């Protein structure tokens, strides 16, 4: 379980490349025993943030505190080199040396740190057994399968018991089935070790599977930080809503009628405004829904409050379910159905489940 004490504190971190602010005033904490996942698209600054924590990049400003010690503070002239930060790192490439055995690869960080030979041998044996590579000490590292090489790189990064393990998209080079397996193994490994992981990915499934908390980044800035459930159910803006799960975004406007507030879609459909005080009168709105927020009412008729019409584009049978492709207000989306016989005609009526509508001013 995550502790109440942060292992890492990052404050107002800035990293520039020329005129580009790759990391723009980022602040967050990482707590002992948790997996914090930094999630975002390519170029959002997530890997740069990770590399500044490792000491592989020098920030332009801000402060990084690791295990109670300031390791980076440009304004104070402080920069602790990577080898003195007691962090481990697993890269996107496995970085397996072709001329070394598995045992030698895992032993190398201990050798660099001056551990005695007998201590190295025992630690390597235990760590290889821990990652299910026991008995392969003499095997050449490049003779292993992709999943085994990934576990070897983890063993090498964990053998010296770092305060923080940094993982930069470590599963992206694996095939889909092995990636799914490694997500489960990695989560179990972290729990057994009670280690602290900072994991970078652009894959929302990896983030939701692994994270105790998720930090979503865009254009070098933090968009939202919270548990997977918090971010999925209560995203602060359309970007977070779209980046976690399947999303339906519709342009709308606010209308007030007989003391009640509504959002009116482009086709005239009205949906009750969940929090009228948070949405100013006038101006454009963005309505956010997920496919599971909608339920099929039946064939199209004049929609009532909380209902919307959609044109049927396709109905696909997938064995365990049907996929119904729809379009409303110029936006296409897909919902799942157990019974495809309920779809008749070229238009259907959908109801928005209570409390599921998200609305943001634009």
């Amino acid at each position: 379980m995550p502790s109440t004490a942060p292992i890492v504190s990052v404050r107002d971190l800035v990293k520039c490349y020329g005129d580009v602010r790759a990391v723009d005033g980022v602040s967050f904490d990482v707590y002992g025993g948790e997996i914090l996942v930094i999630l975002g698209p390519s170029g959002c600054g997530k890997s740069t943030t990770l590399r500044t924590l490792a000491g592989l990049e020098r920030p332009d400003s801000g402060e990084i505190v690791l295990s109670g010690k300031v390791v980076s503070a440009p304004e104070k002239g402080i920069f602790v080199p990577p080898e003195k930060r007691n962090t481990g790192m697993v890269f996107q490439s496995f970085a397996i040396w072709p001329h070394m055995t598995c045992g030698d690869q895992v032993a190398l960080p201990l050798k660099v740190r001056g551990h005695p030979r007998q201590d190295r041998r025992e630690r390597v044996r235990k760590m290889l057994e821990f990652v299910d590579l026991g008995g392969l000490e003499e095997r050449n590292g490049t003779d292993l399968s992709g999943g085994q090489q990934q576990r070897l790189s983890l063993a090498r990064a964990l053998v010296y018991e770092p305060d923080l393990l940094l993982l930069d998209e470590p599963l992206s080079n694996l095939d889909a089935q092995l990636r799914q397996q490694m997500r489960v193994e990695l989560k179990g490994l972290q729990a057994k070790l009670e280690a602290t992981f900072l994991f970078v990915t652009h894959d929302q499934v990896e983030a939701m599977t692994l994270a105790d908390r998720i930090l979503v980044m865009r254009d070098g800035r933090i968009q939202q930080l919270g548990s997977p459930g918090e971010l999925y159910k209560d995203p602060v803006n359309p970007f977070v809503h779209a980046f976690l799960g399947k999303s339906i975004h519709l342009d709308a406007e606010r209308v007030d009628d007989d003391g009640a507030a509504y959002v009116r879609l482009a086709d005239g459909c009205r949906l009750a405004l969940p929090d009228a005080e948070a949405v100013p009168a006038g101006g454009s709105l963005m309505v956010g829904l997920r496919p599971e927020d909608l339920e099929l009412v039946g064939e199209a008729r004049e929609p009532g409050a909380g209902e919307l019409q959609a044109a049927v584009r396709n109905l696909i049978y997938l064995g365990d379910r049907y996929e119904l492709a729809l379009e409303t207000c110029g936006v296409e989306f897909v919902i799942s159905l157990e019974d495809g016989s309920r779809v008749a005609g070229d238009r259907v009526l959908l109801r928005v489940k209570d409390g599921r509508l998200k609305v943001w001013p634009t």
Side-chain angles (χ1 to χ4, degrees):
M1 292 293 291
S3 73
T4 56
I7 293 293
V8 177
S9 291
V10 177
R11 295 292 176 265
D12 302 318
L13 189 68
V14 173
K15 175 62 182 177
C16 300
Y17 297 104
D19 295 332
V20 177
R21 293 171 75 94
V23 180
D24 191 3
V26 166
S27 298
F28 63 92
D29 293 322
V30 186
Y31 294 93
E34 79 165 338
I35 300 180
L36 177 67
V37 174
I38 303 180
L39 175 68
S42 297
C44 73
K46 56 188 185 296
S47 289
T48 302
T49 300
L50 195 80
R51 289 173 65 84
T52 59
L53 288 173
L56 301 176
E57 300 279 358
R58 288 178 177 258
D60 294 286
S61 63
E63 185 174 88
I64 300 173
V65 180
L66 176 62
S67 299
K69 177 183 178 182
V70 178
V71 295
S72 183
E75 293 89 346
K76 301 176 183 177
I78 298 174
F79 181 78
V80 176
E83 65 273 14
K84 295 185 178 180
R85 294 194 180 195
N86 199 34
T87 58
M89 191 153 185
V90 178
F91 296 92
Q92 184 173 341
S93 63
F94 304 143
I96 302 300
W97 291 292
H99 63 287
M100 297 177 67
T101 66
C102 293
D104 288 340
Q105 308 229 21
V106 178
L108 184 59
L110 299 173
K111 186 175 181 180
V112 170
R113 286 165 174 78
H115 287 258
R117 181 187 297 271
Q118 185 58 39
D119 178 59
R120 294 201 305 265
R121 187 177 295 126
E122 184 62 17
R123 284 187 179 224
V124 167
R125 182 188 64 79
K126 288 182 178 179
M127 184 53 65
L128 286 174
E129 287 181 355
F130 191 78
V131 298
D132 291 329
L133 295 177
L136 300 182
E137 287 90 340
E138 300 305 317
R139 179 81 61 87
N140 192 290
T142 53
D143 290 340
L144 302 179
S145 69
Q148 288 175 321
Q149 288 188 27
Q150 183 59 272
R151 290 199 293 271
L152 181 62
S153 66
L154 283 167
R156 185 176 57 201
L158 288 167
V159 70
Y160 55 93
E161 300 178 355
D163 296 328
L164 175 69
L165 184 62
L166 306 166
L167 303 103
D168 192 4
E169 307 221 33
L171 308 182
S172 60
N173 285 336
L174 304 177
D175 62 58
Q177 185 173 355
L178 186 54
R179 193 160 59 241
Q180 182 178 7
Q181 176 187 334
M182 284 301 300
R183 285 197 292 261
V184 176
E185 290 187 15
L186 193 59
K187 183 77 171 177
L189 180 68
Q190 183 269 342
K192 288 180 183 179
L193 289 172
E194 297 182 349
T196 307
F197 285 9
L198 182 60
F199 190 105
V200 159
T201 184
H202 66 276
D203 187 319
Q204 61 168 280
V205 176
E206 278 184 14
M208 297 289 282
T209 302
L210 290 167
D212 294 301
R213 294 186 301 146
I214 299 173
L215 187 158
V216 179
M217 289 188 70
R218 182 188 189 188
D219 297 333
R221 298 180 180 179
I222 295 174
Q223 300 296 298
Q224 190 170 358
L225 173 59
S227 70
E230 290 169 348
L231 270 61
Y232 190 85
K233 294 177 182 177
D234 194 20
V236 297
N237 58 37
F239 177 82
V240 176
H241 187 265
F243 215 84
L244 283 170
K246 298 177 181 178
S247 61
I248 306 163
H249 289 166
L250 304 171
D251 293 325
E253 61 180 354
R254 172 175 171 158
V255 294
D256 293 270
D257 190 7
D258 293 331
Y262 301 89
V263 292
R264 183 168 58 201
L265 304 180
D267 63 358
C269 291
R270 289 186 175 192
L271 305 172
L273 190 58
D275 187 1
E277 293 184 0
V279 179
S284 299
L285 303 175
M286 176 71 75
V287 166
L289 291 165
R290 301 194 188 279
E292 65 266 28
D293 298 336
L294 299 169
E295 59 183 6
L296 183 66
V297 176
E299 291 186 45
R301 54 168 169 75
E302 188 65 26
E307 296 176 339
L308 54 89
Q309 289 185 352
V312 176
R313 294 291 177 245
N314 208 345
L315 179 65
I316 302 171
Y317 177 61
L318 296 177
D320 61 334
R321 70 189 187 282
Y322 289 84
E323 295 277 291
L324 179 60
L326 301 168
E327 180 184 343
T328 188
C329 300
V331 176
E332 296 183 354
F333 57 96
V334 176
I335 65 172
S336 295
L337 299 174
E338 292 183 2
D339 183 5
S341 66
R342 297 180 60 202
V343 180
D346 59 359
R347 298 188 69 81
V348 295
L349 193 68
L350 303 168
R351 187 182 74 84
V352 180
K353 296 177 183 177
D354 293 340
R356 299 294 184 90
L357 188 70
K358 303 298 179 187
V359 180
W360 304 279
T362 59

